[in-house]
Structure formats: structure tokens, C-alpha cells
Amino acid sequence: MVSLLRNQKARNVLLQVLYVGSLAALVLAGVMIARRNLAEQGITSGFDFLYKSTGWDVNFSLLPATANDPYWWFFLIGIINTLFLGSVGLILATVVGTIVGLARTSSNELARLLGRTYVDIFRNIPLILQVFFWYAIITHLPTPRAAHEAWGMLLTSRGLYVPAPNVGGVAMALAILTVIAAVVLPVWLGRTSRLSQPIGKRLAIQLAGMAAALACAVLVLLVARLPDAPLLDFPALQGLNLKGGLRIPPEFSALAIAIAIYGGSYIAEIVRGGFKAIGKGQVEAALSMGLSPWRVFTLVKLPLALRAMLPILANQYVWLIKATTMGIAVGFTDFFMVVALTINHSGQTLEAIGILMAGFLTINLSLAAVFNRINKAIALKGNQLRG
Amino acid sequence: MISGNATESGGPAVRIENLDKYYGSFHALRKVNLSVERGERIVICGPSGSGKSTMIRCINRLEQHNGGRITVLGTELNDDVGNIDEIRREVGMVFQHFNLFPHMTVLENCMIAPMIVRKRPRTEAEATARRYLEKVRIPEQAMKFPGQLSGGQQQRVAIARALCMQPQIMLFDEPTSALDPEMIAEVLDVMVTLASEGMTMICVTHEMGFARRVADRVIFMDGGEIVEEAPPEEFFTSCRNERTRQFLSQVLGH
Amino acid sequence: MEMVIVAPPAPGRLEDLRRRFFATPLQALLSLASLAIMVFLAWNLLNWAIFSAVFTTSGGPEACQAAAGACWSVIAARWRIILFGLYPFEEQWRSALACVTVVVMTVLSCIPAFWTGRRIALVWGAGAVLYYVLMKGGVLGLTYVGEEAWGGLALTLFIFVTSCLIGFPLAICLALMRRSELPWISRTTGIIIDGVRSLPLISILFTFAIVLPFALPQWLAGDKLYRVILGSALFFSAYQAEIVRGGMQGVPNGQAEAAMALGMSYWQRISRILLPQAMRNALPATINQFVISFKETSLVVIVGFFEILASGNAAYGTGEWRFAYIEVYAFIAFIYFVFVFSLSRYGAFLERRMSVGER
Ligand SMILES: Nc1ncnc2c1ncn2[C@@H]1O[C@H](COP(=O)(O)OP(=O)(O)OP(=O)(O)O)[C@@H](O)[C@H]1O
Ligand SMILES: [Mg+2]
């Protein structure tokens, strides 16, 4: 026995078996105890509950939802809400971050100071505090009767009311997809593999693609518009309540604003880092070729900075998506809140936690996969340009 | 000879029998046999990739061999953890890139192993460290950090550090090949002194002058095998093997 | 002919200004726009926060609400609940002292003289014990105050400090295991680390606070506070483990080989050779991680703790101060800002110093 313990190989095997074994035992014991405890409360384990109706409602959904819908439908709604809030927050944060980041790298001292102040303030205050703050601000807005009005939008304590096109849900989704295509298409059409074509021709192709996609969007909206109604539905006061238009609930706006501002301050730093990573020599070479500062920016600085930024940006985006779980603090039904409510109402604790983990793992992995693809596609070929 | 603790006296210092070593499917050492007597000084040379480092790193188990037997000071090197510890205590090693601990002063570099491995009291460890630093002729650098020394000085500290454990065998893996020419001499001087005091030494080096002066035997390796094994006079004048001759003409040629 | 050497005229103040801010029309526009934004924001902020603000409680909430500016009287009236939560009124000096302990501890660990494993552990261990004794009492003539009465800033700091205290050693263990040569250990640890990192912190806190009691035998479940601390320590350690691992990767292989050749055992190699160097490499990223996890401590409000955010909500949520939410949030934001900003500045300073000092 003693000699076995002194044997390196035996020791290695023993260590591994002990480690993996005790972990597995721990998890197994936990699951077994939990199952027994839950069984005592009359909860049978298994995923059958997914087909039962929930009996409770969600306060925000892009899909139709009632209390009669089954649990799996609510999980789907939760995931879609998370992704929706995540992408809105992500886009806004990227816009804010790019502007502030550019200000931080600009040659103008005042702009730099402004950008730096922004980053220093908003990076150093916890996101959840910012969420609470914006939520308090929005819910303290005037009631619908005394609403602020601006450009057909109404700001009230019940949410932001914006004009909405009078079209069905499917058509709306289609239109949104085509608008996204209008943004993505020019990028795809301008891939480096087409670099051999003259720049004017490339630009024309990109513009044509964008215009075509936008035209499709307009066409969809015009064709699918509801009969006997104006194309745009403006919100208006009727009695004590607001009718018409699209209501963006305070929970959603508070989260989106907070994520945009907080995420923006992080993305600004990433943008700044990306521009700092550009070799001086490459910029000088471009300037010495007589390119205008704007051309130097779009043709040299931006592409190089983007490549440097992308991996870190991917991490930040994953973080932002996870940050949507703060929705539960103000009552936005994201994926996590659906899970928490499920545990509260149905008691299917283990299953719900399992679904939660699987959901976030899937989101993370797919996001990572997408960014890896992009990264590979735009990575500098060979290694001549590093450093 | 400075004697350490409980290892069997008598018998060779190192005996290697039918040693086999694989890196994955790559056969790095092929049935190597070598026996080194106590107090003997061996120089190993050979072209790059011939397995010299691999062989001497097997002697203190920085690499694990896959076949054959290695016996060091009468203790067999096998999976027994106790044997490995015992052998490492008695075998010192000097590396090509010094591998000094950058976060410790020169003195601490020399004191740490005697204190925590041999459990010597601090005062004794410090006295030993200072004695060996004197011996490698840099007592005045004791309080500096490795990063503040020249390459030659660093390598001499590395030798002192190994000696502070009072080993019975010293392994050198190309101790001078990362050094500028003017620093090579100072390191070789220290090694010559060490040899003259009767230390058992196994040196991988291409310094043929050193081999001539101190080696009892010169070993030539190629392709994971020992190709030639002879006392220096014989090795340099009348070697039998074609590959050895080629190698020698290259090394001595310039 | 006469040679006249004319020194270029020293640029006057005005010229200097023109060059810096108005070199081109675009620059001028940018400068003016930035200046306008800054002046506008600064003026409105100052006006709100100072010039038109009410600082005394004398007028009561009514006078305060009527004022155009900020109503700092809410802080004057409610600062105790924000900082100390529901801690017994006469004992609140203990809570304050405990907060000071944490600040002193943080400052001490920023001094290089304390950067050895033993000293850092001593500072944090002693600090945590002192904090615990001060807050909980029951010994040394201090009256007993149970954890359920802890709150406000003091609770936030407690959760942060204990999470780090548990999470840091755990992170080192995880990093070592992930680097292990034994495939099953490194792979399993890798799955644990990546799994935890892919989950949002809130879901982990929720699991530890609410779900874990189901999966534990009664005698092991413990207080909710300590389960949540364990959860946040686990989350911290998963991130910190990757940072430590990065630091270890920066230590050349030869270091471990040299230590092995000297006969050092595994633990001696780790503690004397590998970790000191790895931690030095990982220092800037570590401080950054501390900053992030301090901010994330605020999330425990979601699983129902009365930490600073919840106590802030309570400070304005009840009774006559309902309108003064902005002031309360600004006050809490300011507290966070002071902690986080100074720590991250310190991190940036270290990073600069280390990149200059590199040999
Ligand atoms: N860790 C390793 N993994 C895989 N192959 C290795 C490893 N270490 C060495 N080798 C291979 O084993 C062979 C012998 O290497 P070794 O380092 O012993 O050569 P060497 O004689 O010391 O050469 P040099 O004079 O360049 O130091 C080489 O072909 C090398 O590529
Ligand atoms: Mg070698």
C-alpha cells in the first residue's frame, strides 16, 4: 500500500479518480437530495410540466402570450426577450461607444476630455444602479393625461408611446428583417475578395444592394398595411388611457438606456484600444501616399482598428447579453425571470435550472461561433502585418 | 569530495542501460548505454537534435524515459516518487538559459533549495551560499537581482546555486552556448576548477578545448544513439566513425 | 550684405490657443461643440446640485420639494439607513468602524511592501475577523447583532471582502488544476470554469440563495448570506482563475525545471517559484477583476439583501421623501464611484509602472 502511494503513476491515477469521483458524487448527492425534497412537496421530476399551461402572464412579449400558454412557450418568449433586449442594448451601446471612443482618440483636446469624463463616470457606477436610476426616472414621468409630446411620441410614466405602422405582425417582422439586410448587404458586397474591382463600381453595387433591400421593406409595409387605416398609427389620449401607437414599457427602456450607457463606456475603451494598436508606420505610409485624412481613416485606420477590436468586442457583447438578466430587478420578463417565475409557480427547480444553463450556454457558444467566423474572415492573411 | 547523505557508496555514479525515449511517435533515444564512474568527467557532443539534452534530462527525470534502466548513485530511477526526490537532491543541473529565479536576489537563489529541500538553518545556508559565490568569483553580486547581471555572471550564479545543494553529480546542458565569447571563458574557468576538485560531471558542450583539458571521456551522439565513445586524445585524433569526423571538422573548422 | 538671424517669434498665448483648438474649420467646430456641451452640462449640474439645492432638513420635505435644485436634505435625514441599513441605532458606530477597517485593508494591500503571500493573507484575514467581530459582537462586551440586521454599505463591503477572501485561493487552485498534466483533472476543471463563466452572475446568486437549500441536507444549508457569498466567490474565482492562468503562462518553463532539478517538491515549486512570478504578471488584470466584482456585488439586491442599493430604495421609498430618488441614487453612485474610480486609477498606475519597469 505504502509503495503504491509512492508510485508516481499510481498516484496520478488515484488523484484523478478521487477528484472526478468526488465531484460527481457531490453533484449526484445534491440532485438526489433535491429530488427527494421536491417529491415530499408533491413535485414529480421530469419535463412534462413544459406542456402544462402556466397560469401567469408576462408583461413584455414579442409573441402572443396568455396565461393559458404552456411553459415551453414562455421559455421561448423569455429567450426571445433576452435576445431582443440584448441586441437593442448591444446596438445602442455600440453606437454610443463608437462616438465616445472616437472622441477619446480625436486630435482635439476638448473632445478627448469630454469622452474621458463620460467613460470615467459611467464605467465606475454599477450597471444595476443605473438601471434603477433610469427606471425611477421613467416611472416618475407624468401620467398619460399630462404626457410630454415630441414628434408624435408620448413620454409617460407608463412607457414611451411611438407611432407604429398599421401592419400585421408577420409583415412587420419581415420588414425588420429586410431593414437588417439593408445594413448587412453592403458590408457583404464589399468583401475584400472583390477588391480587384474599381472602387466606384464596388460602391455602386453596395448602394444598389442597400436600396433594393430598403425598397423591399417599404413594399412589404405598403402591401401588408391593414385596410381602412392610416399608414401610421399615432398614439393619442382616449379617456384616461392612451390608445394607438406602440408602447415601449418603462422596464424595457430603462434597461436599454442603462445598457447603452454603461456598455457604451466599455466599448469606447475597446474602440480607443483598437485605434491605439494601429502601427504608426502604416498611417504615415498612407499619408505619404497623398491620401486625404478621411481616406486614411476609412481605408487604413478603421479596417486595422476593427481587426484589433473584434475579439475583445465579442467578449463584451457576451457580457452585455448576460447583463440583460438584470431585467428581473425592474420586472422585465427576460429568460432568467421566466426561469425564476417557473421555479416559484411550478416548483420544477432542477429542470428549470437545467434549462437556464443550457439556454445561456447555447447563446454564448453561438455568439462565440459567429465572432470566430467573422474574425477568421477578416483576419490578416499570413503574418506579415502584425506588430 | 563533498559527500551528501544516504546514498550507496561504491558502484558507478550513473548507469544507463538500453535507454529508450519517445516523444509521441518520435524515437528520440535508441537503446542508449552509458556508465559514468564517480569522479569521472564526461563531455557529450553531437549535432543539434541528436538527443544530448534528452539524455541528460532523463538522468534527473526532467524527462521520463520509456524503456531501459537508469541507476543514479545506486538508486534506480523509476516511478517511485521517493527515489526521484532523493536523486534530484544529489544531482545538480546547469541550463543553457540559466533559469535563475528572477524574483529573488542572487543570494536567495542560492539559499532557497538548501533551506526548503535540505532543511538547513538559514545561517548555515547563507554561509554556504556565500562560500560558493566566492568560488564562482562573484561574492560582491550577492544582493543583486539576476536581471541586473551579465550573462556570464548569471551562469556562474546558476552553477553556485546548483553547488549549494552539495550534489554528488553535476549536469551541464550547453552552459556556454547562450553567452558572448568573452563571457564563455569565465564560466569555463569555473567548470575547470570544479573538475579539478573531483566532481562527477556530465557536460553537453561544443567547447572542444574544454573537452581536451578536463574530459576523461568524450561521447558523440547522433540520431538518438551514442556513436563514438573515447578518451579525448583518441577522440580528436583517430575517431573511427565517418559522422564523427564530419562533425569534428565542422566544430573545429571555425 | 548683412545677415540678420531672426528667431522665430515665440508663439503667443492666442497663437497657441488657435493652434490647439482652431487649427482647421473642422477642429474649430469640434472644439466649440465640445465646449458648448461641457458648459451646458456643467452649468446645469452645478445649478441643480449646489446653487439651487437645499442642504438643511429644517424646512422638511415640503420646502425641499418646492426647490428647483437637488434636495440633499434627504441624505441628511436618511444617511444612516443608506450606510448602515437596519443595524441598531446605538451600535452604528461599530458598523462605521467596520467599513473603515475594510478601507484600511484595501489601502494596505495596495502598498508593495505587503505583496507577499503571507502578508496579504494576514492583512485580509485579520481585517475580515476584525470586521466580523465588530459587526456581529457577542464578545468583548459588544452586544450581539445577527446577520439579518446587517445592511447598507457595511453589508456590501462584507459580501465583497468575504467573496474575494474565499474566491482568491479558490481561483489559484482552479488555475493550477486547469494547468495540471493529469488530463482528467485539467479537463474537468476547464469545464467547471467555462461553465461558470458562461452563466450570468444573477443566475448563480439565485441558484445559491434559493435553489441550493433543496439540494443540501438541512444541517449544511446554513444562512442565506453565506450561501450567496459562496456563489459570488465561485463566480469571482472562475474569472480570476483565468487571469492567474494567464500569469502562469508568462512564467517560462525553465523556472519549474530549475526548481525540479534543485529537488523542490510540487508545492514548493508552486508556492516559491511559480506563484510569486505569476501573480506579478497578473497584477493589473487582477485589480481590474476586483473592480468589476466590487461593482457586481450590488447584484445581491436581487436575491433580497438589504445592501446599499436596497437601503437606498428604502431611504426614498417610504413616506415623505418619495420625490427625492435622484438625490439618493446620486449619493450611492458617488460612494461607488469613489471606491471604484480610485481602485481603477491605481490599477492603471500600476500597469504603467510595470510596463516601464520591465527589463
Ligand atoms: N518536448 C519535446 N517534444 C517533442 N519532441 C522533442 C521534445 N524535446 C525534444 N524533442 C525532439 O527530440 C530530439 C532530440 O532533442 P534534444 O533536445 O535532446 O536535442 P539536442 O541534442 O539537445 O539538440 P541541441 O544541440 O539543439 O540542444 C529533437 O529532434 C527534438 O526535436
Ligand atoms: Mg539541447
Side-chain angles (χ1 to χ4, degrees):
Chain A
M1 193 61 214
V2 175
S3 67
L4 205 64
L5 272 183
R6 268 172 62 126
N7 185 300
Q8 204 173 22
K9 285 195 182 116
R11 233 193 222 189
N12 290 349
V13 171
L14 197 73
L15 270 176
Q16 300 190 62
V17 169
L18 264 180
Y19 179 65
V20 178
S22 55
L23 275 178
L26 216 67
V27 172
L28 211 67
V31 169
M32 264 157 58
I33 294 175
R35 282 181 69 160
R36 209 191 51 213
N37 282 344
L38 291 171
E40 270 170 21
Q41 296 177 14
I43 295 158
T44 45
S45 50
F47 286 91
D48 292 340
F49 78 100
L50 284 177
Y51 304 101
K52 290 188 199 141
S53 65
T54 56
W56 38 274
D57 213 346
V58 291
N59 63 3
F60 182 89
S61 171
L62 296 176
L63 304 172
T66 65
N68 292 326
D69 286 322
Y71 274 101
W72 68 265
W73 182 248
F74 273 45
F75 280 121
L76 188 68
I77 288 174
I79 289 200
I80 289 180
N81 283 354
T82 288
L83 290 178
F84 182 63
L85 173 61
S87 20
V88 169
L90 213 127
I91 292 168
L92 292 178
T94 309
V95 172
V96 172
T98 312
I99 295 171
V100 177
L102 287 179
R104 286 213 65 181
T105 47
S106 94
S107 56
N108 190 299
E109 275 175 63
L110 285 172
R112 278 207 306 269
L113 182 68
L114 202 59
R116 192 181 154 167
T117 313
Y118 176 92
V119 170
D120 275 349
I121 289 178
F122 291 107
R123 229 169 108 103
N124 292 323
I125 297 171
L127 176 56
I128 183 137
L129 177 51
Q130 300 192 32
V131 171
F132 275 141
F133 177 78
W134 292 111
Y135 188 64
I137 294 259
I138 294 172
T139 48
H140 282 81
L141 283 172
T143 55
R145 298 180 64 177
H148 296 298
E149 187 170 353
W151 306 307
M153 296 188 295
L154 290 173
L155 276 171
T156 78
S157 59
R158 296 237 197 101
L160 174 67
Y161 289 77
V162 294
N166 257 328
V167 293
V170 181
M172 194 67 211
L174 212 65
I176 291 174
L177 278 183
T178 32
V179 169
I180 293 175
V183 178
V184 177
L185 215 57
V187 178
W188 185 72
L189 288 172
R191 281 172 312 167
T192 35
S193 57
R194 287 164 205 257
L195 219 54
S196 53
Q197 292 170 8
I199 190 162
K201 196 171 169 199
R202 263 192 299 150
L203 219 76
I205 294 177
Q206 282 174 316
L207 278 179
M210 190 159 158
L214 282 179
C216 279
V218 171
L219 204 68
V220 166
L221 287 182
L222 285 179
V223 168
R225 66 181 283 192
L226 301 179
D228 314 324
L231 183 60
L232 274 184
D233 184 18
F234 284 92
L237 196 65
Q238 272 184 14
L240 286 177
N241 247 322
L242 285 166
K243 285 269 155 57
L246 187 71
R247 183 180 87 104
I248 302 172
E251 296 82 32
F252 185 86
S253 346
L255 284 163
I257 295 173
I259 290 177
I261 290 179
Y262 183 81
S265 71
Y266 270 87
I267 292 177
E269 285 303 274
I270 297 172
V271 169
R272 187 172 79 107
F275 279 100
K276 251 172 78 178
I278 302 172
K280 240 195 189 133
Q282 275 138 11
V283 176
E284 276 164 8
L287 281 170
S288 72
M289 276 157 49
L291 293 180
S292 70
W294 173 247
R295 275 290 167 84
V296 173
F297 181 79
T298 54
L299 292 179
V300 180
K301 284 190 187 173
L302 194 61
L304 286 174
L306 264 180
R307 285 176 172 84
M309 269 152 37
L310 210 68
I312 316 169
L313 212 51
N315 278 340
Q316 191 59 40
Y317 283 168
V318 170
W319 191 92
L320 282 179
I321 295 261
K322 285 195 282 180
T324 57
T325 48
M326 269 167 220
I328 199 170
V330 291
F332 175 76
T333 24
D334 69 326
F335 181 41
F336 174 65
M337 185 155 165
V338 171
V339 169
L341 285 173
T342 302
I343 291 176
N344 257 347
H345 288 271
S346 74
Q348 303 283 356
T349 312
L350 294 180
E351 295 81 1
I353 293 289
I355 291 174
L356 175 78
M357 290 185 174
F360 272 106
L361 222 57
T362 316
I363 294 176
N364 278 355
L365 290 181
S366 6
L367 220 70
V370 168
F371 270 98
N372 276 345
R373 270 304 292 275
I374 300 178
N375 224 353
K376 245 194 222 133
I378 67 165
L380 301 172
K381 308 295 183 287
N383 50 12
Q384 71 278 26
L385 268 175
R386 302 280 153 74
Chain B
M1 186 169 121
I2 309 148
S3 77
N5 42 347
T7 33
E8 193 179 302
S9 53
V14 178
R15 175 184 298 162
I16 297 173
E17 295 159 283
N18 288 328
L19 185 67
D20 268 316
K21 168 73 191 167
Y22 290 87
Y23 288 113
S25 60
F26 177 71
H27 204 166
L29 292 177
R30 300 162 185 266
K31 297 259 175 290
V32 173
N33 284 291
L34 177 68
S35 181
V36 181
E37 296 304 318
R38 288 173 193 249
E40 202 179 7
R41 295 168 292 268
I42 305 280
V43 164
I44 303 174
C45 58
S48 183
S50 56
K52 310 177 297 286
S53 299
T54 306
M55 187 173 81
I56 72 164
R57 285 160 61 87
C58 279
I59 295 174
N60 63 355
R61 238 217 197 194
L62 291 183
E63 302 288 350
Q64 208 166 324
H65 57 277
N66 307 105
R69 283 162 64 100
I70 303 179
T71 315
V72 182
L73 300 166
T75 311
E76 189 184 341
L77 203 52
N78 50 20
D79 283 334
D80 191 319
V81 183
N83 288 2
I84 298 174
D85 288 346
E86 201 176 310
I87 288 169
R88 281 186 183 158
R89 275 198 293 269
E90 302 302 331
V91 178
M93 184 159 187
V94 176
F95 299 85
Q96 180 176 2
H97 295 289
F98 332 133
N99 293 351
L100 292 176
F101 305 133
H103 58 299
M104 300 178 184
T105 62
V106 165
L107 193 64
E108 284 166 341
N109 261 284
C110 295
M111 285 164 60
I112 182 152
M115 276 167 62
I116 67 176
V117 178
R118 286 229 194 263
K119 310 275 186 255
R120 298 269 190 269
R122 171 173 280 275
T123 45
E124 188 191 325
E126 184 170 342
T128 318
R130 288 199 185 273
R131 198 168 74 235
Y132 281 110
L133 284 175
E134 197 128 357
K135 190 160 169 179
V136 298
R137 299 189 264 285
I138 37 173
E140 72 285 356
Q141 313 284 7
M143 285 315 179
K144 284 195 181 165
F145 283 91
Q148 299 167 310
L149 302 183
S150 75
Q153 289 171 328
Q154 288 191 48
Q155 193 60 297
R156 283 183 284 158
V157 173
I159 295 175
R161 178 177 73 175
L163 289 176
C164 282
M165 279 294 281
Q166 309 193 317
Q168 304 191 36
I169 302 172
M170 284 287 284
L171 309 175
F172 294 84
D173 189 2
E174 307 201 30
T176 54
S177 54
L179 297 178
D180 293 339
E182 65 268 30
M183 297 176 188
I184 291 179
E186 57 192 39
V187 172
L188 287 181
D189 274 353
V190 169
M191 288 170 65
V192 169
T193 318
L194 201 59
S196 68
E197 287 166 7
M199 174 66 80
T200 312
M201 291 164 69
I202 304 178
C203 314
V204 174
T205 180
H206 293 159
E207 295 297 328
M208 289 307 147
F210 174 79
R212 273 212 180 89
R213 260 172 79 192
V214 304
D216 295 315
R217 252 187 306 159
V218 180
I219 285 168
F220 177 75
M221 287 186 75
D222 193 17
E225 289 169 321
I226 293 184
V227 177
E228 183 103 38
E229 190 179 338
E233 322 80 65
E234 200 183 319
F235 183 84
F236 289 114
T237 50
S238 55
C239 53
R240 285 153 293 186
N241 192 291
E242 176 55 31
R243 278 185 288 178
T244 319
R245 260 199 296 274
Q246 227 170 21
F247 176 76
L248 276 181
S249 75
Q250 268 169 15
V251 178
L252 299 175
H254 45 249
Chain C
M1 252 177 70
E2 222 181 347
M3 291 267 288
V4 183
I5 298 163
V6 184
R13 251 211 200 145
L14 226 60
E15 174 63 18
D16 184 43
L17 240 121
R18 196 190 68 79
R19 255 190 238 161
R20 275 169 67 186
F21 301 112
F22 301 98
T24 64
L26 194 71
Q27 285 284 330
L29 199 69
L30 205 58
S31 298
L32 285 178
S34 308
L35 196 67
I37 295 175
M38 266 189 279
V39 168
F40 174 79
L41 287 179
W43 166 248
N44 275 307
L45 200 66
L46 283 178
N47 186 32
W48 174 79
I50 297 173
F51 303 142
S52 321
V54 180
F55 290 91
T56 57
T57 42
S58 56
E62 293 74 29
C64 218
Q65 191 163 17
C71 168
W72 297 119
S73 357
V74 65
I75 308 299
R78 294 300 183 94
W79 64 274
R80 275 173 178 267
I81 193 170
I82 296 176
L83 293 185
F84 308 126
L86 300 176
Y87 207 79
F89 190 86
E90 313 75 50
E91 305 290 336
Q92 281 178 358
W93 60 271
R94 278 161 54 184
S95 204
L97 217 56
C99 292
V100 172
T101 309
V102 172
V103 173
V104 168
M105 204 167 84
T106 315
V107 170
L108 282 186
S109 34
C110 287
I111 301 171
F114 285 91
W115 289 351
T116 63
R118 204 170 303 168
R119 281 183 202 166
I120 275 284
L122 195 75
V123 167
W124 279 64
V129 169
L130 186 60
Y131 181 100
Y132 190 74
V133 169
L134 273 172
M135 285 298 278
K136 188 142 186 178
V139 286
L140 306 174
L142 299 170
T143 41
Y144 174 87
V145 182
E147 277 92 346
E148 65 286 346
W150 300 7
L153 179 65
L155 183 62
T156 301
L157 290 177
F158 179 69
I159 295 175
F160 170 65
V161 167
T162 37
S163 303
C164 294
L165 209 58
I166 300 168
F168 209 87
L170 189 61
I172 292 173
C173 290
L174 286 175
L176 285 174
M177 288 197 287
R178 193 167 198 179
R179 270 174 59 96
S180 163
E181 290 160 12
L182 309 178
W184 280 98
I185 292 190
S186 73
R187 250 178 258 158
T188 316
T189 313
I191 290 175
I192 295 177
I193 292 177
D194 291 341
V196 171
R197 280 163 57 96
S198 74
L199 288 174
L201 175 57
I202 296 177
S203 68
I204 289 179
L205 294 180
F206 180 81
T207 308
F208 272 73
I210 290 153
V211 180
L212 206 58
F214 287 110
L216 289 178
Q218 215 80 73
W219 51 270
L220 228 159
D223 194 86
K224 181 169 149 193
L225 175 62
Y226 296 104
R227 287 201 310 273
V228 163
I229 286 173
L230 225 56
S232 101
L234 179 70
F235 190 76
F236 172 77
S237 68
Y239 279 84
Q240 181 60 27
E242 289 298 277
I243 293 171
V244 173
R245 191 166 72 109
M248 287 176 180
Q249 263 156 0
V251 180
N253 253 339
Q255 293 289 311
E257 284 179 359
M260 266 192 251
L262 287 168
M264 292 189 202
S265 69
Y266 177 79
W267 290 113
Q268 290 171 337
R269 288 197 308 268
I270 298 298
S271 64
R272 301 303 187 95
I273 309 301
L274 184 66
L275 275 183
Q277 296 183 53
M279 289 320 299
R280 198 153 280 235
N281 294 344
L283 197 59
T286 301
I287 290 181
N288 195 29
Q289 189 55 42
F290 273 115
V291 167
I292 291 173
S293 67
F294 183 64
K295 282 190 284 178
E296 287 182 337
T297 304
S298 54
L299 290 180
V300 299
V301 65
I302 289 174
V303 288
F305 283 106
F306 206 66
E307 50 70 81
I308 191 163
L309 263 180
S311 63
N313 284 342
Y316 80 82
T318 52
E320 65 271 38
W321 294 107
R322 253 171 212 291
F323 61 93
Y325 55 96
I326 295 187
E327 290 80 355
V328 170
Y329 285 133
F331 179 63
I332 300 173
F334 178 73
I335 293 176
Y336 266 109
F337 181 82
V338 168
F339 276 92
V340 176
F341 184 70
S342 39
L343 207 58
S344 59
R345 283 287 93 193
Y346 173 72
F349 158 76
L350 264 188
E351 201 160 355
R352 241 176 300 129
R353 207 189 73 163
M354 283 171 77
S355 65
V356 168
E358 240 159 281
R359 287 189 291 262

